[in-house]
Amino acid sequence: MGSLGFFEGPFGPLKYPKARRDESVVDDYHGFKVADPYRWLEDCDAEEVKEFVKKQVALTESVLEKCETRGKLHNKITNLFDHPRYTVPFKRGNKYFYFHNTGLQAQNVLYMQSNWVQDGLEGKPEVLLDPNTLSEDGTVSFKALSISEDAKYLAYGLSSSGSDWVTIKVMRIEDKTVEPDSLSWVKFSDISWTHDSKGFFYSRYPAPNRDGENFYSGIQTNVNVNHELYYHFLGTNQSEDILCWRDPENPKHMFSGKVTNDGKYLVLYVDEGCGPVNKLYLCDMSTLPGGLQGFRERNGPLPFVKLIDKFDAQYINVANDDSWFTFMTNKDAPKYKLVRVDLKEPGKWIDVIPENEKDVLESACVVNGNQIITSYLSDVKYVIQVRDLETGSMLHNLPIDIGTVYGISARHEDSIVFIGFTSFLTPGIIYQCNLETKFPEMKIFREISVLGFDRSEFKVNQVFVPSKDGTKIPMFIVGRKDLNLDGSHPCLLYGYGGFN
């Protein structure tokens, strides 16, 4: 039995394509029968599905081509989107890197610029890699990228048409030459270089068995098991990569390897799902006989120390000073805190910045040698602080308007910090802050502006409204500076909740 729908719209009756019901598809979940009559639609390579989608597209286009508002709306949205955009720059070697979009480019373009001099970057920005040139329709995009410590190499993951499957390529930055390295079957992966720039860690799945020419359509679900961590030596074939970690007894676990800021340790994150919990293992690469090169014939696994071997909380490595590690964690602290531990005494953990009673610790970044920048979410607006790394004591409050901090870019040794900010009144401001000064200032490095909108003409106020049970709900009132809030003006009320 099929289904057939009619809808009387402004353009006359619409006849929807039939969707066949397959009553034979019934799953048994612990004794409960659950029918799934439209599962056949999940096979996007089937001719029947292609024909069904084709008819749906034809129906949609028959309506949209008669809609006079469509062209006006398209032009309005196009004009609003057509403005330059930048991401927060990050430093490697003596160069800075950032993404830039002139306005309507399908993908952001990766740029690089020379070292910081006084209050700016010297040298003309140059394009390092433009993903818009990699496909005619602009649907090839960056999924991951990592630049080696000396800024000699760029490893980047490319995704086609929004797929989670990634192919990792390598470019020599000096002359923009793409190396022959090509790594396949990569998914849910970071890319992390060792500090000698000889190679990098990445994660992948085993290649599935070929059961036809369409075996790699990018939608398989049966291949998302047995995630593995590998190390790739530059200039070698993927078949020679070192298998650093796998866990066949837990096929749904996922692994991510990240090299610490001093280059000495490899941090292995073990995840079992999307919840804020993980295991955390450490490998001291300086103790490996013959280094990673010595494991090429042995082919792993690397000798990890299981610092955290329970899925009871989330642990994020913020920095390390030899054997002393600083982690951001929600262990007994749902609003998160910062803790330190010496690997020589792994049972002794110290709270550096305890959990705040009200505010949520969103991020922490070690900078300027022995300082740490923290961003807190306080009543739905962000607060930035500079603290001492070892004691957690407050050094500075960095002033920002009501809004969201979406990125803090600096490394352990950097005194210049870049902070990305967005709000009701601006699509983006990138601040620079010099932490070597006695009283650090938030200077505007770049500001993203929209044609025809002047943010200085508007203001944002925060008020608190008591709910039925007395809880004070934060609310923001956005309007022109000269607006009299006497109840006579129209108001667009927007509410949202979710994701913590």
Side-chain angles (χ1 to χ4, degrees):
M1 180 180 178
S3 62
L4 184 64
F6 288 92
F7 174 71
E8 188 70 30
F11 310 107
L14 303 177
K15 185 178 179 180
Y16 282 84
K18 288 184 178 181
R20 175 177 62 84
R21 289 179 62 91
D22 184 355
E23 305 292 352
S24 66
V25 181
V26 180
D27 292 319
D28 188 328
Y29 294 106
H30 310 288
F32 291 91
K33 305 293 184 181
V34 180
D36 193 355
Y38 299 111
R39 186 173 296 171
W40 61 273
L41 280 167
E42 295 179 8
D43 184 5
C44 64
D45 292 317
E47 290 302 321
E48 184 183 15
V49 176
K50 292 179 181 178
E51 186 63 25
F52 180 77
V53 173
K54 184 178 178 181
K55 290 178 180 178
Q56 284 190 313
V57 171
L59 174 67
T60 303
E61 292 296 336
S62 71
V63 175
L64 293 179
E65 66 185 10
K66 299 174 185 176
C67 180
E68 296 180 359
T69 310
R70 189 188 191 192
K72 298 177 183 177
L73 185 61
H74 179 274
N75 292 337
K76 181 69 173 179
I77 293 175
T78 300
N79 291 334
L80 288 174
F81 269 93
D82 192 8
H83 61 82
R85 295 182 289 279
Y86 297 87
T87 63
V88 181
F90 62 95
K91 186 181 181 183
R92 291 294 182 273
N94 64 344
K95 296 180 175 64
Y96 281 86
F97 301 84
Y98 60 90
F99 284 97
H100 171 52
N101 193 307
T102 57
L104 297 177
Q105 292 173 288
Q107 306 293 340
N108 293 341
V109 180
L110 180 61
Y111 282 75
M112 68 177 177
Q113 204 164 349
S114 298
N115 206 359
W116 187 264
V117 176
Q118 293 180 347
D119 287 329
L121 293 171
E122 68 176 359
K124 183 180 179 182
E126 58 179 300
V127 174
L128 181 57
L129 186 59
D130 183 359
N132 297 290
T133 63
L134 303 179
S135 61
E136 291 185 4
D137 58 0
T139 58
V140 171
S141 63
F142 288 122
K143 205 75 170 182
L145 69 85
S146 180
I147 294 170
S148 62
E149 286 294 307
D150 54 12
K152 287 185 177 180
Y153 296 100
L154 162 68
Y156 55 99
L158 296 179
S159 164
S160 297
S161 303
S163 172
D164 284 330
W165 291 106
V166 170
T167 300
I168 296 179
K169 302 285 188 180
V170 178
M171 172 187 285
R172 192 166 64 231
I173 291 177
E174 184 179 10
D175 55 9
K176 301 183 179 69
T177 300
V178 177
E179 301 289 335
D181 304 67
S182 183
L183 310 182
S184 303
W185 298 110
V186 180
K187 199 175 191 181
F188 312 134
S189 175
D190 290 306
I191 302 173
S192 188
W193 288 86
T194 46
H195 284 204
D196 57 10
S197 300
K198 291 182 178 179
F200 51 83
F201 295 94
Y202 72 100
S203 307
R204 57 162 290 185
Y205 287 100
N209 295 325
R210 295 174 180 266
D211 55 2
E213 61 181 38
N214 292 324
F215 85 108
Y216 186 19
S217 63
I219 63 165
Q220 295 88 346
T221 57
N222 61 335
V223 294
N224 288 343
V225 292
N226 297 314
H227 209 218
E228 299 168 334
L229 179 71
Y230 280 87
Y231 182 81
H232 175 72
F233 280 97
L234 205 60
T236 64
N237 190 280
Q238 187 176 12
S239 62
E240 301 176 46
D241 291 353
I242 297 174
L243 176 59
C244 300
W245 189 258
R246 62 184 304 226
D247 187 358
E249 294 183 2
N250 295 285
K252 293 186 178 181
H253 285 182
M254 294 185 292
F255 310 110
S256 175
K258 294 185 179 180
V259 178
T260 54
N261 53 271
D262 62 358
K264 182 179 179 181
Y265 294 89
L266 173 65
V267 181
L268 176 66
Y269 294 92
V270 182
D271 295 289
E272 64 172 353
C274 298
V277 295
N278 64 273
K279 296 181 181 181
L280 191 140
Y281 304 162
L282 293 168
C283 174
D284 185 349
M285 294 185 290
S286 68
T287 64
L288 299 178
L292 288 168
Q293 186 73 28
F295 273 76
R296 297 191 72 171
E297 293 184 4
R298 178 177 169 180
N299 199 25
L302 296 182
F304 284 97
V305 173
K306 298 181 179 181
L307 185 64
I308 304 295
D309 202 26
K310 292 181 180 180
F311 288 117
D312 63 348
Q314 184 177 36
Y315 297 85
I316 303 170
N317 178 43
V318 175
N320 78 296
D321 182 9
D322 196 18
S323 63
W324 276 95
F325 276 73
T326 302
F327 295 102
M328 182 172 135
T329 181
N330 59 356
K331 174 66 173 175
D332 302 322
K335 298 182 185 67
Y336 286 85
K337 62 182 179 180
L338 283 186
V339 296
R340 279 168 63 85
V341 64
D342 188 349
L343 298 185
K344 297 174 183 177
E345 297 182 80
K348 187 178 179 181
W349 293 71
I350 303 170
D351 283 4
V352 180
I353 303 179
E355 179 188 26
N356 191 284
E357 291 184 5
K358 180 173 68 74
D359 302 337
V360 179
L361 179 61
E362 291 282 299
S363 69
C365 177
V366 174
V367 296
N368 203 27
N370 61 347
Q371 296 178 349
I372 188 164
I373 291 186
T374 59
S375 67
Y376 282 90
L377 188 60
S378 176
D379 291 325
V380 206
K381 61 184 184 298
Y382 278 70
V383 175
I384 309 177
Q385 301 170 344
V386 182
R387 293 172 174 265
D388 183 90
L389 173 60
E390 293 187 14
T391 66
S393 59
M394 178 76 72
L395 301 176
H396 307 285
N397 264 313
L398 300 182
I400 56 170
D401 294 329
I402 291 176
T404 300
V405 173
Y406 66 84
I408 298 177
S409 175
R411 310 198 79 188
H412 196 284
E413 65 275 13
D414 295 336
S415 59
I416 300 293
V417 180
F418 293 99
I419 299 171
F421 174 81
T422 184
S423 73
F424 294 106
L425 301 182
T426 173
I429 295 176
I430 299 173
Y431 291 102
Q432 71 178 67
C433 182
N434 186 353
L435 296 179
E436 286 188 330
T437 60
K438 187 175 182 179
F439 302 103
E441 296 181 40
M442 297 279 281
K443 297 182 179 179
I444 294 179
F445 174 67
R446 285 194 178 112
E447 181 172 0
I448 301 169
S449 59
V450 178
L451 187 65
F453 178 75
D454 183 1
R455 67 182 177 92
S456 66
E457 297 178 358
F458 296 82
K459 65 179 179 179
V460 180
N461 290 325
Q462 186 178 38
V463 297
F464 292 86
V465 183
S467 67
K468 187 176 181 179
D469 66 356
T471 302
K472 292 184 177 180
I473 306 300
M475 186 170 73
F476 300 99
I477 301 175
V478 185
R480 290 189 176 275
K481 286 184 175 180
D482 58 356
L483 191 67
N484 184 16
L485 301 179
D486 58 2
S488 64
H489 302 281
C491 172
L492 175 64
L493 183 63
Y494 175 76
Y496 179 81
F499 308 103
N500 295 322

